[in-house]
């Protein structure tokens, strides 16, 4: 005797259903949440972070290093262009943003850092500053932060790569975690 077929306990949505549930057109620059890897080391991580920005409705602010446009193009698997702000002077850009009332959050290991789980969602224009993958956020930029957020880790490593760290923080700031 065979058992009657049960419907699956979990039904996976089709790509068509997912597309239908999402926004019909690309978001323009909402200028609300901005990921700012202003001292990048690896180009592949920038493309990954750009995809996260699209997923959470954020923009990406990057320096005008000669290799950055190619890195973004190579790593961007989106069908459409994403919102990218080009920054000529990272410290000046951060200072102007903060002076204009933008909340500046740095992803950094610091005594005063809030744990990622305790980070409140962005209710005002917020820039998430991501430092160099080996050296972190430069000391002169740390002075421009309103607050620091730390991603707890139990392993031997002292940090995550920029794409992973930025993605976690962006999802939390977007209120999606």
């Amino acid at each position: 005797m065979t058992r009657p077929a049960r419907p699956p306990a979990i039904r996976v949505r089709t790509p068509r259903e997912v597309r239908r549930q999402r926004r019909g057109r690309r978001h323009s620059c909402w200028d609300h949440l901005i990921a700012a890897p202003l001292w990048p080391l690896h180009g592949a991580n920038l493309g990954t972070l750009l995809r996260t920005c699209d997923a959470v409705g954020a923009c990406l602010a990057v320096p005008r290093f000669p290799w950055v446009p190619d890195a973004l193009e190579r790593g961007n698997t989106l069908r459409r262009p994403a919102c990218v702000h080009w920054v000529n002077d990272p410290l000046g850009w951060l200072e102007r943003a903060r002076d204009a009332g933008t909340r500046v959050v740095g992803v950094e290991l610091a005594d005063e850092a809030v744990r990622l789980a305790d980070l409140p969602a962005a209710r005002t224009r917020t820039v998430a500053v991501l430092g160099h993958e080996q050296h972190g956020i430069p000391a002169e930029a740390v002075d421009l932060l309103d607050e620091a957020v730390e991603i707890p880790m139990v392993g031997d490593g002292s940090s995550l790569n920029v794409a992973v760290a930025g993605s976690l923080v962006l999802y939390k700031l977007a209120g999606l975690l």
Side-chain angles (χ1 to χ4, degrees), residues 32-33 101 103 119-126 172-177:
H32 173 69
L33 182 56
R103 174 182 174 207
L119 182 68
R123 299 288 177 230
T124 61
R125 185 177 193 263
T126 301
K172 187 69 172 152
L173 285 170
L176 298 173
L177 287 181

Side-chain angles (χ1 to χ4, degrees), residues 8-73:
I10 297 173
R11 190 183 80 75
V12 177
R13 288 179 287 180
T14 66
R16 186 178 191 177
E17 290 172 318
V18 171
R19 280 192 303 275
R20 214 174 320 131
Q21 290 173 345
R22 293 201 178 149
R23 61 185 180 267
R25 59 183 173 82
R26 180 176 86 81
H27 73 84
S28 61
C29 177
W30 293 336
D31 202 34
H32 173 69
L33 182 56
I34 303 167
L38 299 174
W39 299 273
L41 178 61
H42 299 295
N45 291 328
L46 294 179
T48 300
L49 191 55
L50 186 62
R51 291 192 304 275
T52 299
C53 287
D54 177 72
V56 302
C59 299
L60 183 69
V62 290
R64 284 199 181 273
F65 294 165
W67 57 269
V68 170
D70 289 337
L72 289 175
E73 188 174 323

Side-chain angles (χ1 to χ4, degrees), residues 19 28 31 56 58 73 83 88 90 98-99 109 132 144-145 149 166 174:
R19 280 192 303 275
S28 61
D31 202 34
V56 302
E73 188 174 323
C83 180
N88 291 318
R98 188 170 179 221
D99 289 348
L109 300 173
H132 188 279
L144 298 171
L145 302 178
V149 61

Side-chain angles (χ1 to χ4, degrees), residues 1 8 12 25 29 31 58 72 94-95 105 115 125 158 169-170:
M1 175 149 98
V12 177
R25 59 183 173 82
C29 177
D31 202 34
L72 289 175
L94 282 175
E95 189 170 14
V105 177
R115 288 173 29 101
R125 185 177 193 263
S158 61
V169 171
L170 285 174

Side-chain angles (χ1 to χ4, degrees), residues 103-174:
R103 174 182 174 207
V104 181
V105 177
V107 182
E108 190 61 85
L109 300 173
D111 290 339
E112 300 81 12
V114 63
R115 288 173 29 101
L116 179 63
D118 299 326
L119 182 68
R123 299 288 177 230
T124 61
R125 185 177 193 263
T126 301
V127 171
V129 179
L130 301 152
H132 188 279
E133 290 179 335
Q134 293 174 349
H135 311 295
I137 298 173
E140 57 272 18
V142 170
D143 293 337
L144 298 171
L145 302 178
D146 293 310
E147 61 189 307
V149 61
E150 179 178 337
I151 301 169
M153 297 175 58
V154 296
D156 292 333
S158 61
S159 68
L160 299 168
N161 74 42
V162 164
V164 172
S167 295
L168 290 169
V169 171
L170 285 174
Y171 266 88
K172 187 69 172 152
L173 285 170

